[in-house]
Amino acid sequence: MDSFMTDWSQLSHAYGCAEDIPALLDRLETDPDADWNDLWSALCHQGTVYSASFAVLPWLMALATDGDEDTRLDALFLAGAIMAGADQPHGAGAVRQRYATEIAQLLRMANERRRTLHDCTDYLYLLHAIVAFEGVPGGCEALEGLGNGVYAVSCPACATALFIVIGDDGYFSTSGDHVLKDDVTKTPLRPANPESLNGVGRRLHGIALADGQHDAAAAMTYLFGTALCTSCGAAFCVADQVGRA
């Protein structure tokens, strides 16, 4: 692949000039087992995107079309993470207009792929990509940490730093290190009634149910449900605080 004749010297990524991007792209194209971490780190560093990030979308679209099964999924994940930052100050201009064809194709492939996935974590990452391609207001922020199973937020009442855990480790809020310590205080989350969901929460819950992803659907009820601060006891909507964070 020729990197689509992009002048990478005029673009930037997390570490400066983007002239090294073609080498990273070539490596992933020629070696299906190559590590994607370097490309992720340069183009979507801790969720921040850059002018070079969007220039890679045509390449990711092609790889999502022609790569092997794992590579196609990796391409969709990275493209979705990049589009989640479309409204950031990245110096790439009106990216949704410029890359409308690529985004539409990526969205089509993501919707096709989600119906065949069995792993819940991969499914949640793909839902995040789908709402990013669509540009759904508030959808990207809410879904961004759901695949990892944990969010870092602050209590809106007392500003205590909290972890909201949704997934294999349970459904709770805590201010302690729940990974390394067994004696931290954990307050159970209160899931939303699926019938009371609206907006993006209702839509994503319905999609997950229709796809037979019952664990993902349950996760949506907790994401759009209520948490209690372990310090002051204040109740707050998880998704709202995730968006603020």
Side-chain angles (χ1 to χ4, degrees):
M1 206 174 296
D2 60 5
S3 299
F4 299 88
M5 304 303 292
T6 300
D7 185 357
W8 297 99
S9 68
Q10 299 302 307
L11 303 176
S12 63
H13 56 50
Y15 306 108
C17 179
E19 287 181 309
D20 59 336
I21 291 298
L24 296 177
L25 300 181
D26 289 344
R27 184 188 312 163
L28 289 171
E29 181 188 357
T30 57
D31 181 4
D33 296 322
D35 193 338
W36 284 69
N37 285 340
D38 288 343
L39 192 65
W40 268 88
S41 184
L43 299 178
C44 194
H45 187 71
Q46 297 180 347
T48 302
V49 294
Y50 312 85
S51 59
S53 305
F54 301 95
V56 172
L57 288 175
W59 181 87
L60 292 174
M61 182 194 72
L63 204 58
T65 303
D66 298 327
D68 63 29
E69 185 172 345
D70 290 339
T71 299
R72 291 198 302 270
L73 198 57
D74 285 331
L76 290 170
F77 288 161
L78 178 53
I82 289 170
M83 287 310 303
D87 294 330
Q88 295 177 15
H90 42 64
V95 293
R96 289 197 177 275
Q97 288 73 34
R98 182 175 181 182
Y99 297 102
T101 299
E102 289 83 0
I103 295 167
Q105 177 73 348
L106 287 161
L107 175 60
R108 183 188 64 79
M109 289 187 288
N111 273 313
E112 289 177 353
R113 187 63 191 277
R114 71 175 169 80
R115 299 182 179 95
T116 68
L117 287 179
H118 301 290
D119 182 81
C120 183
T121 299
D122 284 348
Y123 183 82
L124 291 170
Y125 279 127
L126 199 56
L127 278 188
H128 177 259
I130 287 169
V131 298
F133 297 145
E134 292 179 340
V136 176
C140 291
E141 293 86 348
L143 283 174
E144 189 168 2
L146 200 54
N148 294 326
V150 63
Y151 293 98
V153 304
S154 296
C155 171
C158 70
T160 294
L162 298 169
F163 294 108
I164 305 296
V165 178
I166 300 174
D168 292 340
D169 292 334
Y171 304 91
F172 59 87
S173 60
T174 182
S175 59
D177 189 340
H178 63 287
V179 175
L180 298 179
K181 298 179 180 179
D182 295 326
D183 59 349
V184 298
T185 300
K186 300 177 182 179
T187 303
L189 302 181
R190 299 172 180 171
N193 184 329
E195 296 301 319
S196 71
L197 291 172
N198 51 48
V200 65
R202 186 177 186 87
R203 176 169 177 253
L204 294 173
H205 181 266
I207 289 173
L209 282 183
D211 291 341
Q213 290 281 352
H214 297 285
D215 288 343
M220 298 301 167
T221 66
Y222 286 98
L223 175 60
F224 293 93
T226 302
L228 297 178
C229 176
T230 55
S231 294
C232 73
F236 57 89
C237 174
V238 174
D240 287 349
Q241 275 315 101
V242 167
R244 294 187 181 98

